[in-house]
Amino acid sequence: MTLNATTSHTVGPYYHIGLTWLNREDLTVAQTLGERVAITGQVVDGNGDFVNDAMLEVWQANAAGKYDHPEDDQDKPLDPNFEGFGRVPVDAEGRFRFTTIKPGTVEGLKGTTQAPHLVVLVFARGLVKHLLTRIYFDGEPANVADPLLECVPAERRSTLLAKKDAAGVYQWNVILQGTDAETVFFDY
């Protein structure tokens, strides 16, 4: 018997079929503890053209720095009103917006501390595997000692930083490939 490899398929745009009920652009409820923040941006390709069928999946710790996950055994309080998960589709011009809370610092490996951040998976047509990145908050003092940010060349770190605009909304874009401004993506 001869076995043939299954052909590869891209991760999108098929996630729109049957997954839209998981979309959640506001990760908070009225009782969620912590500082609410809005994050907005756009997903573009290497030519600067918007990607109109992307989806972002956001995972994060709560305001105390604890994940709502059984493997997070930190001695920090769990917020029963915050799951730390959201799935955000983009609009026809590749724009997205979601509301969440600013997470607390979380423990890293070997006693390190990770700066407040959101873990983001990017799904879009043409990607054989989803992309993994993070959103950090520009001006956050803990950024200087974050072990993952330290691994990123200094000239590329800005692609991971959400910057607050005059209206108090954080701006962060996903640039899929090409220029020096390409978002930093991580292996996993």
Side-chain angles (χ1 to χ4, degrees):
M1 169 164 57
T2 303
L3 300 176
N4 296 318
T6 303
T7 58
S8 63
H9 297 279
T10 65
V11 298
Y14 311 109
Y15 52 78
H16 286 290
I17 302 170
L19 292 180
T20 54
W21 66 275
L22 293 170
N23 291 353
R24 188 168 173 203
E25 297 172 11
D26 189 344
L27 283 62
T28 68
V29 295
Q31 300 82 9
T32 302
L33 302 174
E35 174 191 350
R36 281 173 176 63
V37 294
I39 299 175
T40 188
Q42 189 174 38
V43 180
V44 298
D45 65 16
N47 295 323
D49 297 327
F50 52 80
V51 177
N52 62 4
D53 65 354
M55 180 182 65
L56 306 180
E57 194 170 272
V58 180
W59 296 85
Q60 71 172 94
N62 66 20
K66 184 170 179 75
Y67 287 94
D68 186 5
H69 192 278
E71 290 186 21
D72 185 342
D73 58 2
Q74 298 179 85
D75 187 23
K76 295 180 178 179
L78 190 62
D79 183 348
N81 299 302
F82 187 71
E83 294 175 355
F85 173 78
R87 191 170 270 165
V88 184
V90 299
D91 69 12
E93 279 105 37
R95 294 177 302 218
F96 62 87
R97 180 184 176 100
F98 63 94
T99 303
T100 187
I101 51 102
K102 188 172 180 184
T105 59
V106 297
E107 294 176 13
L109 297 174
K110 300 178 183 176
T112 60
T113 299
Q114 297 180 55
H117 66 275
L118 287 69
V119 177
V120 179
L121 296 177
V122 180
F123 299 85
R125 89 180 108 77
L127 298 177
V128 177
K129 184 177 176 184
H130 55 270
L131 302 172
L132 172 70
T133 189
R134 284 186 173 189
I135 299 173
Y136 289 88
F137 298 88
D138 190 37
E140 171 62 44
N143 287 348
V144 296
D146 183 272
L148 190 63
L149 271 177
E150 287 179 348
C151 294
V152 175
E155 66 274 9
R156 302 282 322 279
R157 291 181 192 152
S158 65
T159 70
L160 302 174
L161 298 176
K163 296 173 179 64
K164 196 182 278 191
D165 67 14
V169 175
Y170 282 93
Q171 302 292 320
W172 179 77
N173 294 314
V174 178
I175 301 172
L176 294 178
Q177 65 181 13
T179 68
D180 292 337
E182 176 182 328
T183 301
V184 171
F185 300 105
F186 301 101
D187 290 331
Y188 55 96

